[in-house]
Amino acid sequence: MSTIAAEVNDHAHDDHGPAKGIKRWLFATNHKDIGTMYLIFSFAMFLVGGLMALVIRTELFQPGLQFVHPEFFNQMTTMHALIMVFGAVMPAFVGLANWMIPMMVGAPDMALPRMNNWSFWILPVAFGILISTLWMDGGAPASGWTMYPPLVLQTGDAFPFLIFSVHLMGISSIMGAINIIVTIMNMRAPSMSLLRMPIFVWTWLITAYLLIAVMPVLAGAVTMLLTDQFFGTSFFLAAGGGDPVMFQHIFWFFGHPEVYIMILPAFGVVSEIIPTFARKPLFGRDSMIYAASCIAFLSFIVWAHHMFTVGMPLSGQLFFMFATMLIAVPTGVKVFNWVATMWKGAMTFETPMLFALAFVFLFTIGGFSGLMLAITPADIQYHDSYFVVAHFHYVLVPGSVFAIMAGVYYWLPKWTGYMYNESLGKLHFWLSTIFVNLTFFPMHFLGLAGMPRRIPDYSTQFADFNMIASVGAFGFGLSQLILIYVLLTAKKGVPATDAVWDNPEGLEWTVPSPAPFHTFDTPPEVLPPLKQEQHA
Amino acid sequence: MGSHADDRYYVPHESHWPVVGSAGLLFMMVGVSIWLNGSDPGFWVMLAGVAIVIFMVTGWFRDVITESVGSMYNAQVDKSFRMGMLWFIFSEVMFFAAFFGALFYARNMAVPWLGGDSNNFFTNFVLWSGYESTWPTNGPGEVGGDFTVMGPMGLPLINTVILLTSSVTITIAHHALIAGKRGILSTFLAATFILGFIFIGLQAYEYVHAYNDLNLRLTTGIYGSTFFMLTGFHGLHVTLGAIILLVIWFRVLKGHFSKDKHFAFEAAAWYWHFVDVVWVGLYIFVYWL
Ligand code: HEM
Ligand SMILES: [Cu+2]
């Protein structure tokens, strides 16, 4: 036994840097390398999903059918959503978590580095399979990302590929989430108490819990679709005693927590950035943590607000309406705290702060439209209209996506060791913000006027706003070329200091820029003081 | 040598197992999809994928076991593994929750509504006139034809006793491990997985009986769907759990575990208790009530 030990131990603790060539990435166990892969993958999916959105907006530029077949249009809406949700937004946050959480809690790496690698490398397989369905008989799935039966059962050859790619995404997310929880709970520097953890770490802890709780439920739901299709079960078949509506219940039991999975880490990023550039401690730090926990809890008991029109007992409608509106309370706490953090702060407006600020304003608009949708009698009018599309794009694009971009600009100098091009960053911000509003704000009006979602053609009364939205979408898409340029030239700027910004809070700013391959070999014994403590 | 392991966290080297696993999954998922779409070669592609995944699992675990036996893991790593396992089991619980949820929803909502309950008089009157909701049912369309229910007595009861007993035997084995009584440990551990395999055998027998004599099939409406999906996934988990216990048993024979270092044993035991608890739920809600 001791021989094995000696042999293995021999090269166990030499300071191994990255492996050479492709092996560094294929066999990676380093959280920074894996984080980088997550971020690059996510960005690639963001571009692919974005192109699909542009196909949609091209067709919708004018009334009538001009460019694509209606079937293909539906494939685009479905694939766009699946790719953006599971391929772009979620992996981007996991990438940020990989890079930042070990550094923020003073850990040498993620708790389970090999599993971390697997979580990532399942994703290209899942999306390779999903995207390949575009070339199959019957085309890609076209039932909407919600995969409602019986419609989804009409998918062609793509059907089993869709189901299994969703399974793979689930496996990847669950393993990633387990890793994050274990890292936070077990690898934290002993001197860092739970309440002292950075807010980004807190929000990710809660998010990871949500992921482990609901991704298996999605797996169950799509498994039932699979067996209904191929093995003759009757889960969603009324003749056999099942119910298609049951799918919607199971799906949204996953689906609503899922939308919070996409926004809680965004809250975390923004809560890191605003105090830095307001030069004030985060207002109501503890209440931020409690609010995020409340949101997570409530997110399990509101799912049927997606189903007000499908038929449900009145008591159910009332319950889900009130439960949904309750979420506005902790969400309001958060928005209030961000604003209070900035109150009388010595603010500067570097790119990360600009994105974070836009987040606060524009996410709140999405929150308000969500509240409108939560009102059952109103939702019966708004449901499946462009108003819903406006709502979720406000919370997801200037919400989640802006927070991701804010985070990337904020931490990029720590990753590369150089300042990015600030003027181009600002340009990227302003163009994105203008165009995102140009794209999605008119959709509120379209929805209220009655334009249904997921339809390739529309009545001429909707023409003007659609044209504006399409122009906005192309503008937004083109603006992202600036981001690509900024990222490609990220190492061309002036070298970054260790703190990068003006006295930011957190362990990650105490290590060199770029952060060394292995950050903390032993946990840091003294933590930098929180800003609250500095002021007290 | 040991001193290192105590104060520094073990960060493993690059590993090729994860990508091998991903390749295996790729073959598996693509293969099974092609096969389900009706072309037989897919089956072989799937099998190739399964083989790759098995190769990956054994290789990966061999690495981990070597590292563990080589005392490269300190208490903190051990705790990471423990937490990881517990959260994994939680994810499994939620997977079963989806199917239990389907059972409760169908039984307490969907089926009564089809029978006209609540405000669904016209659903029943127009669509399924004459259907009276009952449980078990294969729905108003009598999908799958007449069938008989699997009662709670007989085999299912015996299986319940078997699994509950196996929970006791594994606990005895655990105590023996802590007390350093190797003989009792290996005997009771062996008893545990043997009981597990007997359970699976009886379950298979029950399935044959259901298919041949009761006309109770996966295709027997919602009752057959929930019955076979719940018991089927449970059976798969028992199989996996029993195989894990078997591997642990071989490791016990090799003297791998000590009084205070036996994470793998405990993980297997937790997993076993988990399948046991799921079974109790199944027995109550699927067979009995
Ligand atoms: C302020 C809290 C929120 C409330 C009260 C709320 C409420 C709602 C309601 C009632 C609907 C259903 C509309 C319908 O289909 O008729 C809905 C849809 C949606 N919400 Fe929210 N929401 C909130 C926040 C969010 C957040 C933070 C996200 C994601 C980051 C989000 C993403 C979505 C998505 C993706 C849909 C559409 C799903 C679909 O049908 O495809 N929501 N929301
Ligand atoms: Cu929702």
Side-chain angles (χ1 to χ4, degrees):
Chain A
M1 186 191 119
S2 60
T3 44
I4 308 176
E7 187 185 283
V8 182
N9 233 4
D10 207 359
H11 47 232
H13 291 308
D14 51 352
D15 269 315
H16 44 91
K20 298 277 169 296
I22 185 83
K23 278 191 185 171
R24 168 171 182 183
W25 306 105
L26 280 180
F27 303 162
T29 44
N30 179 280
H31 71 103
K32 301 190 179 76
D33 283 353
I34 296 175
T36 305
M37 290 196 290
Y38 262 111
L39 288 167
I40 293 174
F41 176 82
S42 143
F43 194 57
M45 287 299 119
F46 178 64
L47 296 179
V48 173
L51 284 179
M52 293 175 170
L54 292 185
V55 173
I56 296 171
R57 283 319 317 173
T58 308
E59 179 57 54
L60 293 177
F61 185 70
Q62 284 188 333
L65 294 173
Q66 285 94 9
F67 296 98
V68 293
H69 288 287
E71 309 86 73
F72 188 71
F73 182 90
N74 289 343
Q75 295 173 26
M76 286 293 106
T77 53
T78 305
M79 295 287 277
H80 162 73
L82 286 170
I83 289 176
M84 286 303 197
V85 169
F86 295 103
V89 173
M90 290 168 68
F93 282 124
V94 182
L96 291 178
N98 254 295
W99 252 102
M100 301 319 298
I101 288 178
M103 275 203 254
M104 289 177 142
V105 301
D109 205 296
M110 295 292 281
L112 305 160
R114 283 175 284 217
M115 193 170 87
N116 197 16
N117 174 314
W118 205 24
S119 314
F120 171 76
W121 277 108
I122 286 178
L123 282 181
V125 174
F127 285 89
I129 292 178
L130 184 66
I131 293 174
S132 73
T133 60
L134 277 167
W135 291 274
M136 287 178 189
D137 251 13
S143 57
W145 79 286
T146 49
M147 302 176 283
Y148 285 178
L151 186 60
V152 73
L153 302 178
Q154 296 177 18
T155 308
D157 278 357
F159 182 76
F161 293 93
L162 166 68
I163 303 295
F164 289 117
S165 72
V166 171
H167 275 138
L168 289 177
M169 295 165 202
I171 296 172
S172 158
S173 299
I174 291 168
M175 290 198 302
I178 291 177
N179 222 333
I180 288 170
I181 294 193
V182 177
T183 305
I184 297 173
M185 299 310 286
N186 194 34
M187 308 278 287
R188 214 166 62 240
S191 45
M192 184 180 279
S193 67
L194 275 178
L195 278 180
R196 210 180 180 297
M197 264 175 7
I199 300 291
F200 178 69
V201 178
W202 254 109
T203 52
W204 241 118
L205 180 68
I206 297 168
T207 304
Y209 166 74
L210 289 180
L211 275 168
I212 303 177
V214 301
M215 291 308 288
V217 175
L218 174 67
V222 297
T223 304
M224 292 178 213
L225 286 178
L226 186 85
T227 57
D228 266 18
Q229 178 81 320
F230 292 111
F231 302 102
T233 55
S234 303
F235 287 107
F236 311 127
L237 181 71
D243 187 350
V245 174
M246 181 164 88
F247 177 85
Q248 303 186 18
H249 281 292
I250 305 175
F251 180 87
W252 287 113
F253 183 83
F254 145 81
H256 189 82
E258 166 68 20
V259 307
Y260 280 96
I261 287 166
M262 293 190 284
I263 204 69
L264 282 174
F267 289 170
V269 173
V270 169
S271 305
E272 296 293 332
I273 292 175
I274 289 182
T276 298
F277 296 96
R279 292 166 181 76
K280 275 181 63 196
L282 184 64
F283 185 88
R285 199 174 183 283
D286 292 358
S287 71
M288 283 302 217
I289 297 170
Y290 297 130
S293 317
C294 273
I295 291 176
F297 168 74
L298 288 174
S299 74
F300 283 107
I301 51 167
V302 299
W303 76 86
H305 64 217
H306 296 272
M307 307 167 52
F308 283 141
T309 61
V310 301
M312 132 180 42
L314 184 65
S315 52
Q317 297 195 327
L318 288 172
F319 172 81
F320 285 109
M321 171 164 85
F322 290 127
T324 304
M325 291 180 149
L326 260 187
I327 296 199
V329 178
T331 313
V333 168
K334 295 206 148 263
V335 174
F336 173 80
N337 284 350
W338 290 320
V339 175
T341 305
M342 292 184 274
W343 181 256
K344 291 189 174 169
M347 304 239 281
T348 51
F349 300 94
E350 286 84 349
T351 313
M353 181 62 163
L354 287 174
F355 273 105
L357 268 178
F359 174 95
V360 175
F361 281 97
L362 301 177
F363 167 78
T364 306
I365 294 183
F368 279 135
S369 58
L371 268 177
M372 291 170 70
L373 290 168
I375 305 167
T376 312
D379 183 69
I380 289 171
Q381 302 300 315
Y382 305 155
H383 178 65
D384 263 349
S385 77
Y386 256 80
F387 192 80
V388 177
V389 178
H391 157 65
F392 67 73
H393 281 97
Y394 261 88
V395 283
L396 281 169
V397 185
S400 308
V401 173
F402 268 30
I404 294 165
M405 289 178 179
V408 168
Y409 279 109
Y410 185 53
W411 286 307
L412 196 60
K414 179 55 64 185
W415 302 339
T416 62
Y418 295 91
M419 298 307 288
Y420 57 87
N421 185 328
E422 185 65 46
S423 7
L424 281 183
K426 288 204 168 101
L427 183 69
H428 173 225
F429 165 77
W430 283 110
L431 289 178
S432 296
T433 304
I434 291 168
F435 284 123
V436 96
N437 284 293
L438 200 62
T439 312
F440 297 119
F441 209 80
M443 293 186 185
H444 291 109
F445 307 131
L446 285 170
L448 293 180
M451 178 169 161
R453 66 190 282 207
R454 294 169 172 164
I455 295 285
D457 187 9
Y458 49 82
S459 141
T460 44
Q461 61 184 319
F462 305 127
D464 297 356
F465 282 132
N466 268 299
M467 196 174 281
I468 296 173
S470 290
V471 170
F474 275 89
F476 185 78
L478 290 175
S479 314
Q480 304 319 309
L481 298 179
I482 304 174
L483 176 59
I484 298 182
Y485 183 80
V486 171
L487 292 175
L488 289 179
T489 55
K491 288 194 176 181
K492 299 251 159 72
V494 292
T497 59
D498 292 356
V500 181
W501 311 109
D502 183 11
N503 190 24
E505 186 173 287
L507 271 176
E508 75 264 39
W509 310 110
T510 62
V511 303
S513 306
F517 196 60
H518 291 289
T519 318
F520 295 102
D521 260 351
T522 49
E525 286 183 5
V526 191
L527 298 176
L530 292 178
K531 284 195 177 173
Q532 276 157 324
E533 295 160 358
Q534 290 169 356
H535 280 243
Chain B
M1 140 197 143
S3 71
H4 261 57
D6 293 336
D7 49 27
R8 287 178 80 179
Y9 197 80
Y10 177 65
V11 180
H13 275 281
E14 285 79 16
S15 167
H16 60 280
W17 293 120
V19 275
V20 172
S22 290
L25 286 177
L26 175 68
F27 279 90
M28 241 169 93
M29 299 309 188
V30 170
V32 69
S33 300
I34 295 176
W35 183 41
L36 287 173
N37 278 339
S39 60
D40 291 335
F43 181 76
W44 301 105
V45 179
M46 178 188 80
L47 275 195
V50 173
I52 298 175
V53 168
I54 292 175
F55 171 68
M56 178 277 289
V57 171
T58 46
W60 191 331
F61 276 89
R62 191 184 316 112
D63 279 5
V64 173
I65 291 169
T66 316
E67 289 163 16
S68 163
V69 171
S71 9
M72 308 191 47
Y73 296 156
N74 59 16
Q76 198 186 13
V77 179
D78 190 73
K79 197 168 168 204
S80 283
F81 286 169
R82 279 162 198 278
M83 294 172 116
M85 186 67 194
L86 287 177
W87 285 101
F88 168 66
I89 290 178
F90 174 56
S91 79
E92 292 266 52
V93 169
M94 293 310 292
F95 182 74
F96 276 98
F99 288 90
F100 274 107
L103 172 67
F104 298 147
Y105 185 88
R107 185 171 171 168
N108 298 320
M109 316 266 218
V111 170
W113 289 344
L114 288 170
D117 218 37
S118 180
N119 59 355
N120 297 283
F121 173 77
F122 278 100
T123 307
N124 180 261
F125 183 70
V126 177
L127 293 176
W128 308 108
S129 169
Y131 176 68
E132 281 177 41
S133 85
T134 53
W135 188 265
T137 181
N138 52 355
E142 297 187 356
V143 172
D146 274 348
F147 69 99
T148 318
V149 176
M150 184 70 66
M153 292 302 143
L155 267 192
L157 184 62
I158 297 174
N159 261 346
T160 309
V161 174
I162 290 179
L163 267 199
L164 290 180
T165 315
S166 75
S167 239
V168 176
T169 53
I170 190 132
T171 307
I172 296 176
H174 191 188
H175 285 292
L177 171 56
I178 292 170
K181 295 182 183 143
R182 294 268 150 191
I184 303 186
L185 165 60
S186 61
T187 319
F188 277 85
L189 187 54
T192 310
F193 67 75
I194 291 172
L195 286 171
F197 285 119
I198 294 178
F199 173 93
I200 299 160
L202 291 179
Q203 189 80 352
Y205 178 80
E206 183 192 86
Y207 275 16
V208 174
H209 171 60
Y211 262 71
N212 291 345
D213 309 330
L214 306 181
N215 193 32
L216 173 59
R217 295 160 192 240
L218 187 58
T219 48
T220 308
I222 190 68
Y223 181 75
S225 308
T226 48
F227 178 86
F228 281 103
M229 291 299 279
L230 275 164
T231 56
F233 271 119
H234 176 261
L236 279 181
H237 282 77
V238 177
T239 314
L240 189 64
I243 294 173
I244 294 174
L245 288 173
L246 183 67
V247 173
I248 296 294
W249 185 66
F250 280 120
R251 290 189 62 191
V252 164
L253 296 188
K254 282 188 139 189
H256 274 187
F257 302 113
S258 70
K259 171 159 126 325
D260 35 36
K261 267 198 82 174
H262 51 265
F263 157 70
F265 179 94
E266 276 183 46
W270 291 338
Y271 196 76
W272 197 251
H273 288 307
F274 151 70
V275 295
D276 209 28
V277 170
V278 172
W279 175 261
V280 174
L282 279 180
Y283 186 69
I284 294 175
F285 293 112
V286 176
Y287 289 94
W288 189 8
L289 292 182

